[in-house]
Amino acid sequence: MTDFAARLLYIFVASLTRMPWSWLMRMGDAMAAAMRMLDVRESRVARRNLEIAYPQLPADERNRMHRAILRATARQTFETMRLWTRPHAQNLALIRENHGVDLFDAAVAAGKGLIVAAPHYGNWELLNQWLAAKTPISILYRPPQSAVGEAFLRIVRADDGDRVTQIRAEGPAVRQLWKLMKVGGVTGILPDQQPKAGDGEFAPFFGRQALTMTLLNRLAERSGAAVLFAYCERLGEGPQFALRIEPAPPAIASHDPREGVAALNAAVERIARRDPAQYQWTYKRYTLRPPDSGETNPYRDLETH
């Protein structure tokens, strides 16, 4: 029944997104207005994150950023649904600029393993499709709580040539990634998700300590694999993107995991600052606080809103 429900969901999404892009974007704008008016969870979390990350800005400027973030977030919902349910070749034609592809090609050709760090910036689902078109890739992901949701993701992230392997971010994942790096494989990791307590190190992110995964640092340091940052950045109002691939700072593979996660966060922050509206500010990035810091969960009051 789970797979059947996921198929029905896919049919519904595919039917909905047959509308013209302009209509989908208007629907996104209407959703953003409703999110703001009702002050839903995503709206409250985004506002709190802006208070944490941009405390020096006047309240009216943060309010402007808040509106832009909700608009981009809602539009991305419909944008991604369309990308999920259309042929990949058709989607990839929306990438109008390519930057740093030579870095990617060289890293793959070297055969020493490649870690693609893909922050939650722009449209990471389009990036996944571009990566799969270039090379077989294993994608580390955090499964949704819903079994139907996970089955749906397996459908929409599949490709025609079975070049995408989805690895759940759980215990066995680490062993799978080690084996992949040993044979010169390519993996994609979302580096800005908060790990479980004990699975990371604290490092500054927009001026506040954030628990950050050490997995990427350990993989890079022990395997010698190359690390590249990659993202598909929206261009203007239309459905067009710029693919950007950039080298990671050398410190990301440091023997000291604290230095490694600090370099990782600095790189993600630099990307997010390019256009803050395109970053995922609706995620609770600072829930866990450093031991003995005296700090409390900054979202606690939002949960009882």
Side-chain angles (χ1 to χ4, degrees), residues 61-302:
E61 179 62 16
R62 284 203 304 269
N63 195 44
R64 184 198 64 77
M65 293 178 66
H66 181 256
R67 288 195 300 271
I69 287 166
L70 293 185
R71 181 173 183 260
T73 298
R75 283 188 164 202
Q76 181 171 347
T77 299
F78 292 97
E79 172 187 279
T80 298
M81 288 194 296
R82 187 179 178 101
L83 293 173
W84 274 339
T85 56
R86 292 294 176 274
H88 289 191
Q90 180 179 319
N91 295 337
L92 296 178
L94 300 176
I95 299 178
R96 305 300 171 82
E97 297 180 14
N98 292 274
H99 305 273
V101 176
D102 55 329
L103 296 174
F104 180 87
D105 292 340
V108 173
K112 296 181 179 180
L114 170 61
I115 302 168
V116 179
H120 287 87
Y121 178 85
N123 195 297
W124 48 93
E125 295 293 342
L126 181 58
L127 174 65
N128 286 343
Q129 294 181 12
W130 183 88
L131 292 169
K134 294 285 288 184
T135 184
I137 185 170
S138 296
I139 298 173
L140 187 69
Y141 77 105
R142 182 173 295 174
Q145 295 180 345
S146 164
V148 173
E150 184 170 9
F152 177 76
L153 285 181
R154 287 199 299 270
I155 294 171
V156 299
R157 287 178 174 169
D159 69 311
D160 296 333
D162 292 327
R163 294 159 65 88
V164 177
T165 301
Q166 298 190 65
I167 301 177
R168 293 167 63 100
E170 298 172 345
V174 177
R175 292 193 297 273
Q176 290 178 264
L177 293 178
W178 281 122
K179 291 178 181 178
L180 182 68
M181 292 298 99
K182 286 180 179 179
V183 297
V186 180
T187 184
I189 296 178
L190 298 167
D192 48 354
Q193 289 183 319
Q194 180 177 253
K196 296 179 182 177
D199 288 347
E201 294 280 352
F202 282 92
F205 186 61
F206 281 89
R208 178 74 70 94
Q209 293 290 317
L211 187 63
T212 305
M213 67 161 61
T214 53
L215 172 61
L216 195 152
N217 164 257
R218 297 201 314 270
L219 276 178
E221 189 265 322
R222 298 178 188 177
S223 71
V227 182
L228 296 173
F229 279 85
Y231 49 98
C232 281
E233 185 176 52
R234 293 184 197 85
L235 298 174
E237 292 289 309
Q240 52 188 359
F241 300 84
L243 170 73
R244 301 189 186 277
I245 300 174
E246 304 165 356
I252 211 166
S254 170
H255 294 289
D256 181 351
R258 289 171 295 184
E259 184 179 359
V261 297
L264 175 61
N265 278 358
V268 174
E269 180 177 331
R270 179 186 55 78
I271 293 170
R273 287 185 182 275
R274 289 179 57 87
D275 181 0
Q278 295 198 42
Y279 190 65
Q280 190 186 37
W281 292 105
T282 56
Y283 177 70
K284 295 180 180 180
R285 185 68 177 85
Y286 304 97
T287 302
L288 299 176
R289 309 311 310 137
D292 304 322
S293 68
E295 298 180 31
T296 59
N297 177 356
Y299 310 103
R300 181 171 296 171
D301 62 315
L302 306 184

